[in-house]
Amino acid sequence: MFRLWSSSHHQDNDPLQHEVKINELKAAIGPQSGRSLQFCTDACFRRYLEARNWNVDKAKKMLEETLKWRSTYKPEEICWREVANEGETGKVYRASFRDRSGRTVLILRPGMQNTVSIDNQMRHLVYLIENAVFNLPEGQEQMAWLIDFTGWTLSTTVPVKSARDTINILQNHYPERLGVAFLYNPPRIFEAFWKIVKYFLDNKTFHKVKFVYPKNKDSVELMKQYFDEKNLPTEFGGHAILNYDHEEFSKLMTQDDVRSAAFWGRDDKLPHYGNGHSGAEVAPEPVCLAPVAS
C-alpha cells in the first residue's frame, strides 16, 4: 500500500507527469474559441489540476463549470463605472503595494460596508478579483488578501449565504489564485461567524487563511514574512499611512478598464467620470501585461 501511495505521490510532483496531465485536460476540454480560448492557457489548466490534486476528470468538470459561469456572468465585462458606488468607502480595493512575493494585494474592510444589494456587492468583488489578476506581474499567478476588522460588528456582517457564495466563486472559478489571506485582529464576536463559514472552505483554502493579533508575537512575525513593514498600512501593524482616495482609485480603475477592454476585445466607450462615479479620460499607461487573467 505504501509503495502504491509513494508512486502516486511521486507522479503528482513529477513535472513530466504534470505536462502529460495538462495535455490530457486540454484534449478533454476540447477546442475553444473567443474569450474561452484566451482564458484556457496552460497556466489555467495547471491551476485547475492543482486545485483537484491533478485528477483530470475532476479538473475538467471544474473548468467546464467555470467556462459556463464566465459565459453567463461575464466577469471580464464588468466596468468600474458599474460598481463605483460600491467602492465609495474603500471597503474593497487593490493596494498600491505588493507582498514580498510580488502578489497583487486586495484590502478588504468589512466594517466599511455601505450598500445593501448582495448582487451588486458580489459584482464589485468579482470586478476587483479580475482586476487583481489582470495586474499580476509576469511569473506570479496569485493574489494576497488583507482583511481589516476595524468597525466590524454583527450588524455589518454579510449574510452566511453571501459568504458562502463568495467562497464558492473564489474557490471554484479562481482556483489557486489566492496565495494567502490575513484576517487582522478580528473581534471575539467574529468567532461565531467563522465557526460557520470555515466549513465552506476546502482544505487548501482553509490553510491559506491566517489570523493575526497585534499582541500575538508569532502571528505578527508570520505577517512580516509576507509583507514589508514599510509598505504595510498601520491598520495592519505596518508603518504606511492608509488613505483611500475614491476619486484617484476610480481614475486608476478606468485606466485598467481601457487595458482590459483591449485585451478581451471589448469596444467600450468609457465616459468622463466625475467624483469617482465614472472613468477619467486618460490614456492607458504602457504596462507589460501578465499572462491571460485566467
Side-chain angles (χ1 to χ4, degrees), residues 20 26 64 75 98 100 109 114-115 124-125 164 180 198 205 236 241 254 275:
V20 169
K26 191 183 303 185
E64 286 176 338
R98 303 182 189 276
R100 294 187 187 275
R109 302 188 291 179
N114 62 322
T115 60
H124 176 237
L125 179 61
R164 183 182 62 192
V180 65
K198 69 180 181 180
T205 305
F236 295 98
I241 302 300
T254 303
N275 298 323

Side-chain angles (χ1 to χ4, degrees), residues 136-138 259 286-290:
L136 288 170
E138 187 173 355
R259 295 194 295 117
V287 177
C288 179
L289 293 182

Side-chain angles (χ1 to χ4, degrees), residues 92 108 121-130 145 166:
V92 187
L108 296 86
Q121 291 168 11
M122 190 67 69
R123 283 178 63 80
H124 176 237
L125 179 61
V126 168
Y127 169 86
L128 286 167
I129 291 175
E130 287 277 317
W145 285 15
T166 299

Side-chain angles (χ1 to χ4, degrees), residues 174-216:
Y174 297 93
E176 299 301 313
R177 283 304 196 184
L178 181 66
V180 65
F182 281 100
L183 280 62
Y184 192 83
N185 203 26
R188 295 200 64 173
I189 55 174
F190 178 75
E191 292 178 10
F193 183 71
W194 174 247
K195 285 180 180 179
I196 299 173
V197 170
K198 69 180 181 180
Y199 289 106
F200 303 141
L201 299 173
D202 62 33
N203 189 53
K204 284 189 175 183
T205 305
F206 179 81
H207 285 94
K208 292 176 181 178
V209 177
K210 314 293 183 184
F211 285 79
V212 179
Y213 298 94
K215 295 182 180 180
N216 184 306

Side-chain angles (χ1 to χ4, degrees), residues 7-19:
S7 175
S8 173
H9 183 71
H10 174 72
Q11 286 184 7
D12 287 345
N13 290 278
D14 183 353
L16 293 178
Q17 283 295 320
H18 287 180
E19 291 303 317

